[in-house]
């Protein structure tokens, strides 16, 4: 038994982690091309370059600040047996399953806090101002948010009693799932309607990235969807063709360059959910939020005070400056 539990002191083999993560990324990107769910509004090359750069800063921050804290902490948890999951000697499979479920649930709480605590929202805003939604959005976070999440992650590991393998497994599954549910993949509607009862899906999470605050304040879950059902924060009644992606106050591509996004937490100068000179976007004509997932074209749910249509950024001609309405 002791020898069997030694596996909890290990992490996933690097080759397996790479296969799972890059295999998921390649799969969703392929289907984003073959079966797109939403029309993209921004120049693809410029946007992808921006998101890739931000994903690099995210990965570097995690490697430099989170990994040095959580890796030795999880080894100490397993060695000295402290934390909730160590109160009883669980079978390895139960330890791993509960690690994933509990870490996922406490990430739901953290996600909620990043929207509701003004200081944290300043940093999480960088993720939400993306005016399109696909797998690359899943990887673009402000480095400051990753730094601020380190104490929370350490608390998760210590209080829950998470082993090195449990932590590594959850991290890999989380990365795979966020690439999936941020993706621009059109799943079969009957399949997704059932699937979203178990895990977070592209249509479900697409609602969370709406310019309408009431819609963004829903669907906080990451891997499993049950926390939203449990807390009554599930919202499935907005078809994807009625969603404007992004943050209401930041719909001008000229304000969403890498430099300006990285400075955003320190330069926020307006209410996030109010369109300048227009007001707060509101949705009309919706059914019960807990109604099953609605397909595109199911309802005529218009937005009042919607952001004006702004053309995607184009390379300015020599001697001319790009101007947006």
């Amino acid at each position: 038994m002791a020898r069997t539990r030694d596996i909890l002191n290990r992490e996933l083999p690097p080759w397996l982690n790479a296969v799972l993560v890059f295999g998921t990324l390649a799969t969703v990107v392929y289907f984003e091309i073959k079966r797109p769910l939403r029309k993209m509004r921004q120049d693809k090359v410029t946007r992808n370059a921006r998101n890739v750069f931000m994903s690099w800063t995210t990965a570097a921050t995690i490697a430099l600040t989170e990994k040095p804290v959580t890796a030795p902490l999880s080894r100490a948890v397993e060695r000295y047996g402290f934390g909730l999951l160590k109160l009883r000697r669980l079978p390895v499979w139960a330890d791993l399953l509960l690690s994933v479920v509990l870490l996922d649930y406490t990430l739901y709480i953290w996600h909620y806090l990043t929207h509701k605590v003004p200081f944290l929202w300043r940093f999480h805003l960088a993720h939400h101002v993306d005016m399109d939604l696909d797998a690359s959005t899943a990887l673009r976070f402000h480095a400051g948010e990753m730094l601020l999440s380190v104490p929370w992650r350490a608390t998760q590991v210590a209080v829950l009693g998470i082993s090195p393998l449990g932590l590594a497994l959850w991290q890999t599954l989380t990365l795979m799932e966020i690439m999936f549910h941020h993706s621009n993949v059109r799943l079969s509607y009957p399949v997704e309607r059932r699937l979203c009862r178990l895990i977070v899906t592209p249509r479900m999470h697409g609602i969370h990235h709406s310019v309408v605050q009431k819609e963004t304040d829903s669907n906080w879950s990451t891997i499993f969807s049950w926390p939203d059902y449990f807390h009554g924060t599930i919202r499935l009644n907005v078809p994807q063709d009625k969603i404007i992606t992004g943050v209401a106050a930041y719909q001008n591509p000229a304000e969403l360059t890498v430099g300006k996004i990285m400075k955003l937490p320190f330069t926020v100068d307006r209410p996030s959910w109010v369109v300048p000179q227009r007001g707060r976007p509101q949705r009309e004509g919706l059914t019960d939020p807990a109604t099953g997932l609605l397909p595109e074209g199911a309802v005529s749910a218009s937005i009042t005070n919607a952001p004006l249509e702004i053309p995607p950024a184009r390379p300015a001609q020599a001697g001319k400056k790009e101007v947006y309405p």
Side-chain angles (χ1 to χ4, degrees):
M1 181 68 173
R3 185 170 297 179
T4 302
R5 293 190 63 83
D6 285 346
I7 193 174
L8 292 174
N9 282 305
R10 306 173 189 173
E11 296 186 3
L12 292 179
W15 66 267
L16 178 58
N17 189 65
V19 167
L20 292 172
V21 172
F22 288 105
T24 300
L25 179 60
T27 300
V28 296
V29 169
Y30 173 80
F31 283 105
E32 283 180 335
I33 297 170
K34 293 294 184 180
R35 294 177 56 86
L37 175 60
R38 296 168 288 263
K39 293 181 179 179
M40 306 296 277
R41 297 191 290 159
Q42 301 175 85
D43 176 74
K44 189 172 182 61
V45 174
T46 301
R47 176 178 171 276
N48 284 352
R50 177 172 64 239
N51 286 2
V52 166
F53 173 80
M54 292 187 67
S55 71
W56 286 344
T57 64
T58 297
T61 304
I62 291 173
L64 293 173
T65 63
E66 180 183 309
K67 184 74 172 178
V69 173
T70 58
L73 182 58
S74 63
R75 289 194 294 269
V77 163
E78 192 59 29
R79 180 177 180 181
Y80 297 109
F82 59 86
L84 180 63
L85 294 180
K86 300 301 182 275
L87 294 177
R88 298 191 65 178
R89 195 171 182 82
L90 298 170
V92 170
W93 67 267
D95 187 292
L96 293 177
L97 177 60
L98 288 172
S99 292
V100 171
V101 170
L102 292 174
L103 284 168
D104 186 54
Y105 177 65
T106 49
L107 184 59
Y108 168 94
I109 298 172
W110 171 254
H111 190 186
Y112 175 86
L113 292 175
T114 62
H115 280 256
K116 296 303 182 181
V117 177
F119 180 71
L120 296 178
W121 171 247
R122 284 175 168 263
F123 291 88
H124 192 55
L125 181 60
H127 175 67
H128 272 268
V129 293
D130 197 348
M131 292 169 57
D132 289 309
L133 192 62
D134 64 14
S136 71
T137 312
L139 308 175
R140 57 163 278 172
F141 286 88
H142 197 284
E145 180 179 351
M146 298 299 99
L147 182 60
L148 290 169
S149 71
V150 173
W152 184 270
R153 194 76 71 245
T155 302
Q156 287 177 287
V157 171
V159 172
L160 297 177
I162 306 298
S163 66
L165 183 58
L167 179 62
L169 178 62
W170 170 73
Q171 288 173 326
T172 298
L173 291 175
T174 296
L175 189 52
M176 293 167 63
E177 169 60 20
I178 64 172
M179 288 190 291
F180 167 65
H181 71 228
H182 281 90
S183 72
N184 191 31
V185 174
R186 180 183 295 276
L187 300 178
S188 163
Y189 170 69
V191 170
E192 187 166 354
R193 184 181 174 91
R194 291 171 175 79
L195 190 60
C196 71
R197 298 170 185 170
L198 177 63
I199 64 173
V200 182
T201 62
R203 285 183 175 93
M204 176 182 169
H205 196 72
I207 296 171
H208 177 71
H209 278 260
S210 168
V211 297
V212 179
Q213 185 179 11
K214 186 179 292 186
E215 293 164 13
T216 300
D217 287 348
S218 65
N219 301 354
W220 312 97
S221 300
T222 300
I223 298 178
F224 304 109
S225 54
W226 71 265
D228 279 306
Y229 284 98
F230 179 75
H231 289 287
T233 53
I234 191 74
R235 182 175 289 275
L236 302 171
N237 60 343
V238 188
Q240 293 301 296
D241 59 347
K242 299 299 188 293
I243 293 174
I244 299 176
T245 300
V247 176
Y250 297 92
Q251 290 287 303
N252 186 338
E255 295 185 312
L256 302 179
T257 61
V258 168
K260 291 182 178 180
I261 292 174
M262 297 305 287
K263 292 190 294 185
L264 197 55
F266 316 104
T267 59
V268 172
D269 60 354
R270 70 196 78 165
S272 296
W273 303 108
V274 177
V275 179
Q277 302 178 345
R278 290 179 68 83
R280 184 181 294 271
Q282 302 285 351
R283 180 85 62 182
E284 299 176 348
L286 290 179
T287 57
D288 180 2
T291 299
L293 198 67
L294 292 179
E296 291 65 54
V299 294
S300 177
S302 59
I303 299 178
T304 58
N305 298 325
L308 294 170
E309 283 295 325
I310 298 174
R314 301 181 301 274
Q317 297 179 10
K320 292 186 178 181
K321 184 177 180 180
E322 196 72 33
V323 178
Y324 295 91

